[in-house]
Structures are given as C-alpha cells and as structure tokens.
Amino acid sequence: MRTLALVTASGAALLTAGTPGPVTLAVPAYTDPAPAPAPRPVLSAVPLALVAKVHRAPARAHRSRPPSSPAHGRGGEVGAADLLARASACEQVSNGTYRTDEAASPTVPVCGAAGAVFWKADLDIDCDGQVTAACNPATDPAFHGDTAFHTSDGRPLDAERLPYVVVPAPGGVWDYGGAGIEGGGVVAVVHGGKVEYAVVGDVGPEHIVGEASYATAKSLGIDPDPTGGGVPSGVTYILFKDSRVSPIEDHEAAVRTGRALAEEFVRAD
C-alpha cells in the first residue's frame, strides 16, 4: 500500500516592530498537490456458497488394495506369474491332445479352470486377413486373405495390427463353441513374463494348436516374421469362457475386459 504525506504550511504574520506601517504576511510558495492515488479495480464478489463448498470438500484418500488380494504384477494388474501359477495344473477337458505342427506328435491337452480353458504350446505366426505391408502374399507364402471372424464393417481382421488367436476347428478332440468360446472371445497370451490380451480371431486345422497373429507375437517380443518367426514352446493361451468383444477390432476393449477376467481367474478358488 502506498502512503501519501500531506504537508500543510501555515503562514505566520510578521509585524514590523517600531513604526506603524502596512502589515506584511509571509506566504509560502505554491506547490502542486500530490497526485491522487489511482482508484483500485473493483473485484467481483465471490459467492459465499462457493467458498463454503470449497471449504467443506473433504480431502481425497488413496485406497490401498485389501490385504487378501493375491500378488500382482506391475501397476497393480494381474501379471504373467499370477496367470501361470493359476494355470500350473491341468484338468484335461479335451478328448485327446493336439499337435503343435503337422510333423509333431499330439501332446497338448486343453485344460479347464474356473471360467476359462487353456493350453500350453508354441506360437506360429498367423498373417491371414487384410493385405498390409507386413502381411501379404509376398511376405507370407501361405497367406490367406480372409479370417474366420470379421470386423464390424465385414472385412477380414488385420493380423499386423490386431492381436488375435487361432483356435482349432471343432472336431473329435475338442469343440471350442461347446466350451463357451466364440469369435471375439477374450484371450490372455502369456510368454516371457509378458501378457497380451487378444481376441479369438481365426480358426485353424482341427488337430493343431499354437497360432496367433503377427500383432500378438510382436507385442510379446516374439519375432513376428510369418516365414521364420514365432517360438517353438513356452506360450500359454488362456481363453475366457462366455466373453466377447464387440466390435472385435476394439483392442482397447479386449485389454480392459481381459484384465478384469484375469483378476477373476486368479482369484477363483
């Protein structure tokens, strides 16, 4: 705040002593008065109701996870170790076992668990569907321009961009439809400490398992090259029953749904 000093001068009457004569008054020299301070801006009044509301707002608390929750991966989400621990024992639900390749012996059973089925196999690269820079007849000699399930606008899936998994065609060993699995169903694919949530996107031979899209392999750190990529073992596929993402190409929805279903899968008794 600026302080203004107000100086007031008073004249003193000086009389000449002795002889009578005119009276002479000493008047101080005229000075300009100090400029008046600029008017303060008028502030709009703050409604009292708003002030009261601000003061009444409670502080937000950080809620911790209940002590009974199982161990999770980074960020509080279910991690690869949690899923693998839950899928460590196999209660076989298939009538037999599957091959991982044409030349391999049938050794892979389909296992059942609470709300899911799973198997452990290799990962071969599926590049079928839409023609893209990575997936086309030139990059994949076995390329097929269609998938069993289609996008919301009727096109084949995009293997380069959409994480999806291939299920074996219904047969004597197992019928995915009879087990509550359908196109667009959510799958957790686990490999090398990583989890990718994908959808059921294509159907393969009825006696082979262990195949996923280019995008699935890439997200898991697996070589996605359709001619020489993939891995020979160490991949776990957990398919959640009665789940479905619509539209099937909405990968973010698959991730959200997959995380919730994975939590239920891990917690199940």
Side-chain angles (χ1 to χ4, degrees), residues 10-264:
S10 59
L14 301 179
L15 300 176
T16 303
T19 60
V23 177
T24 302
L25 299 177
V27 181
Y30 174 79
T31 57
D32 292 333
R40 296 181 182 178
V42 178
L43 300 177
S44 58
V46 178
L48 293 179
L50 179 59
V51 175
K53 182 177 180 181
V54 171
H55 284 284
R56 288 198 300 267
R60 294 183 179 178
H62 294 283
R63 184 178 300 174
S64 59
R65 184 176 295 276
S68 59
S69 298
H72 296 304
R74 293 180 299 174
E77 300 170 6
V78 169
D82 304 305
L83 292 168
L84 293 178
R86 186 70 178 86
S88 60
C90 176
E91 181 179 340
Q92 185 169 330
V93 296
S94 58
N95 296 324
T97 52
Y98 285 97
R99 304 172 187 269
T100 55
D101 296 293
E102 286 287 352
S105 300
T107 58
V108 180
V110 177
C111 309
V117 295
F118 64 90
W119 57 77
K120 301 178 181 181
D122 63 345
L123 191 152
D124 293 327
I125 308 301
D126 187 335
C127 234
D128 293 343
Q130 297 182 29
V131 174
T132 66
C135 295
N136 56 70
T139 60
D140 181 7
F143 177 81
H144 181 59
D146 199 4
T147 50
F149 307 104
H150 294 160
T151 63
S152 55
D153 59 1
R155 295 185 299 164
L157 302 183
D158 183 344
E160 182 180 352
R161 295 177 178 83
L162 180 66
Y164 70 74
V165 165
V166 181
V167 294
V173 177
W174 182 66
D175 180 352
Y176 69 86
I181 307 300
E182 60 180 313
V186 181
V187 186
V189 188
V190 187
H191 173 74
K194 296 182 179 180
V195 180
E196 176 59 279
Y197 293 102
V199 292
V200 175
D202 206 358
V203 176
E206 67 177 58
H207 57 284
I208 292 177
V209 294
E211 191 174 6
S213 69
Y214 181 105
T216 306
K218 185 176 181 179
S219 67
L220 290 170
I222 297 172
D223 182 0
D225 182 6
T227 58
V231 288
S233 62
V235 180
T236 299
Y237 303 79
I238 303 172
L239 293 76
F240 299 106
K241 296 180 179 181
D242 303 317
S243 64
R244 183 171 180 267
V245 172
S246 181
I248 192 172
E249 66 268 22
D250 188 347
H251 180 55
E252 292 183 359
V255 172
R256 290 193 303 269
T257 304
R259 287 173 175 168
L261 293 173
E263 183 80 22
E264 294 178 8

